[in-house]
Amino acid sequence: MLLDDEIDLLATLPSPISAPPGGLEEVSGTMEPSAPATVLEGWISEAEFSALIGVTSRRVRDLVRDGVLHKTTRNRRLGFVLPDQVQAYCKHLRERAVAQGQTDDLKIERVRKERAAAEKIELQNAALRGEMVSVNAVKQEWGGIIRDVRAGMLAVSARVGAVLPTLTPHDISVIDHEIRSALEGMADDC
């Protein structure tokens, strides 16, 4: 509860918060300001500032130590000027949010890099265990198989002509032509 002298003193101080036309209001039979006197003055203590921004007093001291906030002295007490220090704290939070977004991108890149490294090691281990073959070895093996199949298919018309003597040379060339067409069609599909 404020004394009449304190009320008179508050009324003479400049305030960023405008008082109601009647000055101080009567609340529950007592005369009290609508906000703490220090808030009306634009200056609050460390405890009030920590309550205002929703952090501990220890965190406020850390922010002062880190140069984010700046204390000022009023009536031989340290505190914070409003709204300057609230704006400084908000700026700090915005900068931290931007930095956090960049940090998240770096974390994502690190995770991607670690996964790629792990996959590389898994592939190397599978190769050492003999569970993998090289692409060139597979190409050489399949190339040999395809050449053998092609040679065998091209020899069909000559073998059929030898087995069936009643076929005319024209019949054998038609069979040969159809086999070659089939082989070319499969080569085009690949």
Side-chain angles (χ1 to χ4, degrees):
M1 181 165 149
L2 296 174
L3 301 173
D4 288 341
D5 293 337
E6 291 173 323
I7 293 172
D8 292 336
L9 177 65
L10 287 177
T12 62
L13 294 174
S15 171
I17 302 173
S18 60
L24 298 173
E25 300 178 32
E26 187 172 335
V27 179
S28 302
T30 62
M31 296 295 287
E32 291 185 358
S34 57
T38 55
V39 173
L40 289 173
E41 297 171 14
W43 181 91
I44 59 175
S45 69
E46 180 180 293
E48 291 169 323
F49 189 77
S50 66
L52 176 68
I53 64 173
V55 298
T56 64
S57 291
R58 167 83 184 192
R59 179 66 182 136
V60 170
R61 286 189 299 276
D62 290 344
L63 291 168
V64 169
R65 184 195 67 224
D66 296 341
V68 174
L69 300 175
H70 303 285
K71 283 187 172 184
T72 56
T73 304
R74 177 169 268 170
N75 298 331
R76 288 179 271 152
R77 292 181 59 212
L78 286 173
F80 300 93
V81 175
L82 294 179
D84 299 346
Q85 296 307 303
V86 173
Q87 292 169 348
Y89 181 66
C90 291
K91 178 182 176 191
H92 168 71
L93 292 178
R94 283 191 302 274
E95 289 169 353
R96 238 175 84 193
V98 168
Q100 183 65 34
Q102 293 169 351
T103 302
D104 289 345
D105 291 343
L106 290 175
K107 286 178 185 177
I108 290 168
E109 286 302 312
R110 279 191 204 115
V111 167
R112 187 194 60 75
K113 182 180 177 183
E114 289 173 8
R115 283 184 183 152
E119 184 178 346
K120 180 181 177 183
I121 291 170
E122 288 174 13
L123 292 173
Q124 289 171 344
N125 288 340
L128 290 173
R129 288 189 302 264
E131 296 173 355
M132 295 180 61
V133 293
S134 72
V135 172
N136 288 335
V138 171
K139 284 181 181 179
Q140 286 178 347
E141 188 65 30
W142 274 106
I145 291 170
I146 289 172
R147 279 190 297 277
D148 291 345
V149 168
R150 181 178 178 273
M153 291 303 294
L154 290 175
V156 166
S157 59
R159 286 198 319 261
V160 168
V163 173
L164 298 172
T166 57
L167 293 176
T168 65
H170 174 68
D171 295 337
I172 293 173
S173 77
V174 169
I175 293 171
D176 184 61
H177 176 46
E178 288 302 317
I179 290 173
R180 286 180 188 275
S181 293
L183 289 173
E184 286 175 9
M186 286 188 282
D188 290 341
D189 290 344
C190 294

